[in-house]
Each structure stands twice: as C-alpha cells, then as structure tokens.
Amino acid sequence: MQKPPSEEAPDQLTVTPPKKWATGVPAVAHALEYSLEETSPQRAGVTLLTMNQVDGIDCPGCAWADPAPGHRHRNEYCENGAKHINDEATTRRITADFFRTHSVTDLAQRSDQWLNQQGRLTEPMVKRPGSDHYEPISWHDALGLFATELRGLDSPDEAVFYTSGRVSNEAAFILQLFARAFGTNNLPDCSNLCHESSGFALHETLGTGKGTVSLEDLHHADLIFVVGQNPGSNHPRQLSALEQAKRNGARIIAVNPLPEAGLLRFKNPQKPRGVIGRGVQIADRFLHIKIGGDLALFQGLNRLLLEAEDARPGTVLDQDFIRSSTAGFEEFAQYARSVAWEDIVSATGLTREKIESIRDEVLRSDRVIVCWAMGVTQHKHGVPTVREIVNFLLLRGNVGRAGTGACPVRGHSNVQGDRTMGIWEQMPDTFLDALKEEFGFDPPRAHGLDSVNSIRAMREGRIKVFLGVAGNFVRAAPDSDVTEEAMRRCRLTAHISTKLNRSHTVCGETALILPTLGRTEVDIQATGEQFVTVEDSMSEVHLSRGRLKPASRLLLSEVAILCRLADRTLQGRPAIPWDQFEADYGAIRDRISRIVVGLHDFNRRVVRPGGIRLPNPVNEGAFHTAAGKALFTRNDWQAPRAPEGHLLLQTLRSHDQWNTVPYTTNDRYRGIHGSRRVVLVNPDDITDLGLAERQRVDLVSVWSDGTERRAPGFEVVPYPSARGCAAAYYPETNVLVPLDSVADISNQPTSKGLVVRLEPAGTAAGDGARP
Ligand SMILES: Nc1nc2c(c(=O)[nH]1)N[C@H]1C(S)=C(S)[C@@H](COP(=O)(O)OP(=O)(O)OC[C@H]3O[C@@H](n4cnc5c(=O)[nH]c(N)nc54)[C@H](O)[C@@H]3O)O[C@H]1N2
Ligand SMILES: Nc1nc2c(c(=O)[nH]1)N[C@H]1C(S)=C(S)[C@@H](COP(=O)(O)OP(=O)(O)OC[C@H]3O[C@@H](n4cnc5c(=O)[nH]c(N)nc54)[C@H](O)[C@@H]3O)O[C@H]1N2
Ligand code: SF4
Ligand SMILES: [Mo]
C-alpha cells in the first residue's frame, strides 16, 4: 500500500512558456507516472487495458464518446483518463485510525489535493452532534439513523439529494425514484453548474436538451467550431476526432480567450506519426475572443450571412429548410440586422474583417458543427449565447443532416445519462406519468430545488437533510463561504463517496460518510456479478464492468446504499421492491426500459458491442418545441464590461485536476508548475494596472449589490489571455462567485466573466491564504 503524504508541500511557483501542442509521449509518460504513484503496476495494467473497451470499464473521466467497436485502439484512453481511473484505483486507504488522528476541524484546514491524496474511504463513519471527530458506525446503524432523520421531517421538501454525473444510470434511476417516492423533486445536480444553459436553450429551440452530433458527424464535417472549451486537458480524445475530421478535409475554428495547447497542435499518442512528428495543426483559425463575447460573435456572423443572402438571393441561406421547418425567422432577422458593429467589435475584441473572413469559411462549407462547453454556458447570457449558436446553425440548415449539428460537450462521464434517468428538479410530466404508471404512486409535480436554490433554502434553514452522491458540493458550488455556512445549518449532511473531500468536513449537526464502490471495482450482489450502464455526450448508452478487487470489504455499491436507505425510509409505502433491485441491476433496467423512450429492451440491447444510441428527434426531422418547428430566437445582449481598473475573470480547470480535486499543483500545457494560486493576465494589462510579474495580489470580485468577495494571495503570471481578461483556477476562486450571480433562465452560476480587481496582497485586513 502506497503511503499518502502526511504534510502539505508549500507552494513554489515556476513558470515556463505555454506549450504549443498537446498530448504526445510526455503525456503518456506522465499518465503512467501518476498511475504508479497511486497504485500498483498490476492494478494500473488492469484499469488501463480494459478502459473504454467493449465490456470493459467506462472511463470515469469526461463524457467523450468511444469510437465504434472494431475501431478502438488497444489503448483507448487519454492521459487524463488514465489519471482519473488510477486516482480511484489507488492503493492508499483511509481507516478509522485516520479519523481518530484528524479532527473535523483539522481536516477542514487541509487542501483539496491533500484530502484526495489520503486514499479511498473504507468504512461508514458518523460525526455525532457536539463531536469534532468522525467515528465508525455499522451500515445498519448509519442507514437507520439517516432514515429516522428523513422520516422525522415536517415535509419531504426539507431534504435535498445532490448528485454528480459520476454515478451510473442504475444508481441515478434509484436515487430519483427514492426521492420522488419519498415526496420531493429536490434533485439538484452538477449539471445545474455545468451545461444547464445548453439544456434550456436547446430544449426551447430544437426541442431536445441533448446534442445532435455523433462521432461520425464530426469525422465528416467541413467546418467545426470549438468554442469555449479546452479539449487538450478536458476532453483529450476529442482531439483524435478533430484530427480525423481534418484528415477528411475539415477546417477548424477555435474560439477562446486563451490559446490553449490542444487547440493549436495535437500529437496523437496512439499513432506512431503522432509520437514522432510535429503533430497535426488543429485550429486553422484562432479567434482570440474576449470573455463573454461569443453571443456577439455569432450575432455578427448571422448578420453577415443575412446580408450575403441579400446580395445573392437564394444562394446563402437554406430557404426551404427555414420555410418548412423553422419559426421565428423574421423577428430574429430583423434584430440581427440591427446590431451595431461597434458593439460587436467591442464585445468580441475581434475586427469586423476577421469576422467577415470567418463568414467566408462558413460560406465555403456545406456541413458545419459547433462544439462548446463551459466558456459558453457559465455566463449570465449563457442561454442566449447557445440560442444564437442555434440561429447560426439553422440559417444554413446545419442540423439534422449528416456532418452537421449542435455539440455541447458534456463534462462528467454520465452527466447526460443521469438526466435521462430523471435526475432533474423539473422533469416533465410525461416522465412523471410513466413513473406513476410503473410504480403506482403519485410523484410530486411541483418543481424542486436546483443547486443554487438548494443553497438559498439551506441558508434560510428550510433544508434539514442534505445527501450528496458522487460529488463535492461545497467546492463545486459558488460563493464558498455562503455555501459552507448554509451546509452547516443542516441537521444531517451525508455523502456517498469514494474519496475524502471538503464536503465531508463541512458538517451538519450530524454527518455521515457512506463509502462506496467505484466503477473500477467488481460489484457482486445476491444474484451474482453486476455491471452498470452510462450514456456519453453523443447519446450512446453502453455498459461498464468493474475489474478490480474492492478497496475494502465494507464497501457497498451506490445502488445497494440507496436501495437500503429507501427501504428503511419508506417502509413499504409505496411498495417498491428495493431488495430485488439491489440483488439484480437487470431488474432496474427492466423498469427503465418501460419509462425511458429509446431504452426499450434495455437489458438485451445494451450488452451488444457498442451498446445503444438513443434516438435524437432532430436527426429524424422532428422538433418537439411548442411550435413543432425549430425556433429562431431574438437575443438581446449587453456585453459584460469591466470598469476601469478591473478585469473579467474566468475560473477554469488546470490540466492536472478533476473538477474540485487537484491531483498536483501543475498545469503543464500552460507552463505553470508548483502552485495553483496564480492569476493569468495579459502582459499589457499587467502594465496598465501598475502591477508587476509575479506580484502577490488578492482577487477581489465586485458585485452589483455593492458587496465584495476576496480570494487572497495569488501570483500574477503574464499570459497571452485576451486583453482585459484574466484566468484563475477553480475551486480556489469559487469564493468570488456571488450566489446570486447566475445565468438568466438556467440559474447556472456565472463561473466565467466575473468582474474583479487585483489588489496588492496584504493591503486588506484579515488576510491569509485559505485552502
Ligand atoms: N482533466 C479534466 N477533464 C475534465 C474535467 C476536469 O476537471 N479535468 N471536468 C469535466 C467537466 S465536469 C466539464 S464540465 C468539462 C469542462 O471542460 P471545459 O469547458 O474545457 O472546462 P474549463 O476548464 O472550464 O475551460 C473553459 C474553456 O473555455 C474558455 N473560455 C472561458 N471563457 C470563455 C468565453 O467567454 N468565451 C470563449 N469562447 N471561451 C471561454 C477557457 O479559456 C477554457 O479554454 O471537462 C470535463 N473534463
Ligand atoms: N468556479 C467554478 N465552479 C465550478 C465550475 C467551474 O468551471 N468554475 N465547474 C462546475 C462543473 S462544470 C461541475 S460538473 C461541478 C463539479 O462538481 P462535482 O461533480 O460535485 O465535483 P467532483 O469534483 O467531480 O466530485 C469529486 C468527488 O466525487 C466523489 N466520487 C468520485 N467518483 C465517485 C464514484 O464513483 N462514486 C461516488 N459515490 N463518489 C465518487 C469523490 O468523493 C470525489 O471527492 O463543479 C462546478 N463548479
Ligand atoms: S477523453 Fe475523456 S472519456 Fe476519453 S479517456 Fe480521456 S478522460 Fe476518459
Ligand atoms: Mo461539468
């Protein structure tokens, strides 16, 4: 067993020039090095060679899709997938002794990285009222205590059940079934913090919350936009798909305030030419856009396309498609024509000529795809930005045809599947009706609480019980101090987790740690070995089968924990066979197959190589919108603006972290080593603000209600970020995001585009870096 570090290493920043290419030999070497630090060569071998293979372990990293069976490489994973899987397969263990040594107060002082490095959780623990230590508790007592708290609530709506997209379809289905049978729709999830803006915009305009693109489509597009995403670190195998598209003749336009390494050049580690050569240039065009400028960019492009059609009628727009399949064109067009160029130029930081040259690329392309992620959704105007992207696609009929479409690139490996399974506080009546029909109880109809509203309700004392499944809510959520205070007001906080994180240290009066099997581990239940299923970003549903010996004999699977909790809480009302579900996940899938459209005959079809592709109505020419047609929308906007002396800040991921969990303090592609408390700023802004390279500053965000929030002790690093735009890592900067700073319509926190000031450190009272 590897020993975890007992003390934290002090930060020691070194900076090297940002890399101009991503993923090659150093990437693979780095993955192995990290894997072997965490686990044994045998375990690393098992995880890596079965990862993303038919009947193997689905990568617990991002939601990127696997190539079709027969087209998979023997090593069908990326550097970061290898890190994520071996972070779970680690041989380090946390035992009861650990919690005897470390009080909750002590653990709350530790960094996210240190907590994660302590290893896998191995037995259920409880922190009782008034105590500062977790102590062991049996499963029977832990679940009994939990059920008693739930049964004692005045209303089921005093509980919330948070999940991340790490959980399987089966566990997600059981969780939402339990919550609804208990009587609440309070099912906040990480999607509320992630692609919620995409979901709302796509639902409204295309009648589906999901992307419309398959890997095949990407391979055969003529033009692909990659907007507001950093695939080199966050969806590395997307680069293989983009490389393939380029070999088939596609051109790629990257839109980003940062020249991310993976967007520039890619060396494919799975191909000899990738390892040795210079790699493939990914982006043919790079638009160095200002933070929050994407709506203006697409509106500008749309205006140019409308004008091109005026000049050469019948040659630019897909008039037949617009006439037969869309609504709202006139109002959209009228508005788009009226947008002033000076506003577009000032919001994007791009010249009109540059945007015109992109229009020409579009005019040369018959099949266009737009991919996007957090750089688009995590803004106040995230929903209208996605709607404007849809306008752009609709104008030339770039949806529903091969090689075209909308591609929101999802984060967590099963975040899309969880939604399909009913994890959403606003599931439509059709789904709730099907639940009623299948299980014979009346699910609550009133919408539940999403993530931001859960925090508001906890802060007001309206929530007494919080359950977190497979996430780290207090670090993922905005306004860290407010969120932590809100959590501490709960009577019971409980987490079903594989590894220790800060959410376990921010306790309600009573707190439970319910340790669980990870996806890498063999899952044996009463009827034998089980597998689970997941859905990727391209709506492919496939199975995942664990291979490793569980980290401890005391672990239960997520399904088992949730089924037992449901059974103990509901006591037969309504009558749901939780014990059968725990014994045989196939019995859960049978129920799912009768509720979820497209998953009929689930058990039989999902074991076929490659699994099931869920149908997307858009690709069958159907738009399930209110109008029964695809909808053009009019999107008014105001460019986010930083007043004099301020910058727009985005909070983002380094190359070496999984969401709230940093693996190391390095961000190799960006040339940052040894510290995460850095703020990346354009050198001209550093000069204009009267700051110096490597100066220590506090980041101070200013919010419209006059309040300010401070993240102390960051080093200023000159970086080729767009003018006026800075970047710093999440979750250290979540403290800066006001709880009320949310996207219009989707209520998603604005993790990008915060207005901040950089104050020389030590000028405010009460300074001191916090983990
Ligand atoms: N290794 C690793 N992989 C991951 C994750 C991880 O933490 N680590 N997390 C997973 C999850 S849950 C998610 S949601 C995805 C996230 O994947 P990404 O969306 O790539 O994640 P971020 O690090 O937030 O990066 C946002 C990107 O958008 C750019 N950007 C910021 N603001 C703007 C803007 O206003 N306009 C434009 N055009 N660009 C902008 C940033 O410069 C950056 O390149 O990754 C998934 N994959
Ligand atoms: N400022 C800012 N905030 C953000 C973002 C941002 O870009 N900027 N991004 C947002 C986004 S896109 C997302 S998705 C959220 C992510 O937020 P979350 O999904 O809540 O956070 P994670 O860091 O993925 O959760 C990590 C924990 O999951 C648990 N875990 C891992 N694997 C398993 C498993 O198999 N089973 C169980 N039961 N537990 C497991 C481990 O205990 C681990 O500590 O953060 C959001 N917050
Ligand atoms: S691209 Fe995503 S799903 Fe694929 S191996 Fe890498 S982290 Fe895993
Ligand atoms: Mo995400």
Side-chain angles (χ1 to χ4, degrees), residues 13 81 95 118 126 148 173 183 259 307 322 341 400 437 465 484 498 521 541 595 720 739 750:
L13 176 65
T95 60
Q118 301 311 306
V126 62
T148 305
F173 184 82
E307 288 168 359
I322 293 173
W341 272 108
E437 170 88 16
V465 175
E484 293 191 0
T498 49
E521 289 160 321
V541 181
I595 290 172
L739 184 63
T750 58

Side-chain angles (χ1 to χ4, degrees), residues 449-493:
L449 300 171
D450 63 8
S451 291
V452 164
N453 287 335
S454 293
I455 300 165
R456 290 179 175 142
M458 284 194 272
R459 181 172 58 177
E460 289 158 17
R462 287 188 281 127
I463 297 299
K464 305 290 188 316
V465 175
F466 175 97
L467 171 65
V469 188
N472 183 4
F473 187 69
V474 301
R475 291 304 266 164
D479 230 345
S480 311
D481 295 340
V482 171
T483 298
E484 293 191 0
E485 206 183 304
M487 283 283 275
R488 290 198 167 100
R489 289 202 67 181
C490 291
R491 229 162 36 210
L492 174 73
T493 50

Side-chain angles (χ1 to χ4, degrees), residues 1-286:
M1 178 170 120
Q2 259 85 349
K3 271 182 89 76
S6 56
E7 290 310 321
E8 310 222 20
D11 281 357
Q12 184 110 58
L13 176 65
T14 55
V15 179
T16 53
K19 291 270 181 295
K20 294 201 164 58
W21 51 267
T23 322
V25 171
V28 173
H30 193 74
L32 279 176
E33 188 189 315
Y34 186 81
S35 303
L36 294 178
E37 259 172 38
E38 288 298 316
T39 188
S40 65
Q42 291 82 355
R43 284 167 75 88
V46 171
T47 53
L48 295 181
L49 289 177
T50 58
M51 190 163 167
N52 297 328
Q53 300 299 335
V54 171
D55 206 33
I57 306 169
D58 179 71
C59 174
C62 76
W64 193 253
D66 300 321
H71 294 268
R72 294 186 195 171
H73 194 273
R74 188 154 178 269
N75 293 300
E76 191 56 58
Y77 55 84
C78 71
E79 170 194 355
N80 276 344
K83 284 190 244 167
H84 306 324
I85 205 164
N86 285 306
D87 188 66
E88 176 178 306
T90 180
T91 47
R92 297 174 184 168
R93 300 286 177 267
I94 293 183
T95 60
D97 261 351
F98 172 89
F99 289 108
R100 262 192 293 277
T101 313
H102 298 284
S103 66
V104 176
T105 309
D106 168 13
L107 294 175
Q109 312 290 327
R110 304 293 178 149
S111 71
D112 301 294
Q113 185 181 332
W114 187 90
L115 293 172
N116 178 61
Q117 278 173 334
Q118 301 311 306
R120 288 287 298 277
L121 295 161
T122 53
E123 60 179 305
M125 305 294 297
V126 62
K127 186 208 80 73
R128 300 195 186 273
S131 168
D132 194 26
H133 280 267
Y134 275 102
E135 57 192 85
I137 183 172
S138 69
W139 276 109
H140 183 270
D141 291 350
L143 296 175
L145 186 159
F146 198 160
T148 305
E149 280 291 348
L150 287 171
R151 290 175 64 80
L153 294 177
D154 289 337
S155 150
D157 288 331
E158 290 181 340
V160 295
F161 303 92
Y162 171 76
T163 27
S164 87
R166 189 80 169 238
V167 298
S168 63
N169 285 333
E170 289 73 7
F173 184 82
I174 291 293
L175 175 66
Q176 63 81 33
L177 180 62
F178 167 44
R180 296 194 164 108
F182 178 61
T184 183
N185 280 316
N186 288 348
L187 287 158
D189 68 350
C190 71
S191 206
N192 296 146
L193 314 168
C194 184
H195 264 293
E196 200 65 75
S197 300
S198 307
F200 273 93
L202 293 175
H203 252 296
E204 181 188 353
T205 56
L206 297 179
T208 169
K210 297 182 183 179
T212 67
V213 166
S214 68
L215 269 187
E216 273 299 288
D217 288 323
L218 270 171
H219 293 165
H220 294 105
D222 298 326
L223 186 66
I224 302 171
F225 285 78
V226 180
V227 190
Q229 60 161 143
N230 175 24
S233 292
N234 297 329
H235 302 93
R237 283 189 309 154
Q238 184 178 1
L239 297 181
S240 310
L242 295 176
E243 181 195 32
Q244 173 80 39
K246 290 214 69 164
R247 291 193 191 282
N248 293 341
R251 287 180 60 81
I252 292 173
I253 298 177
V255 186
N256 204 304
L258 304 179
E260 304 282 26
L263 298 173
L264 305 179
R265 209 161 251 291
F266 172 49
K267 298 190 187 185
N268 190 336
Q270 294 163 351
K271 292 192 179 151
R273 64 171 175 270
V275 173
I276 306 160
R278 293 188 60 233
V280 178
Q281 181 187 342
I282 291 290
D284 298 282
R285 306 291 307 275
F286 176 65

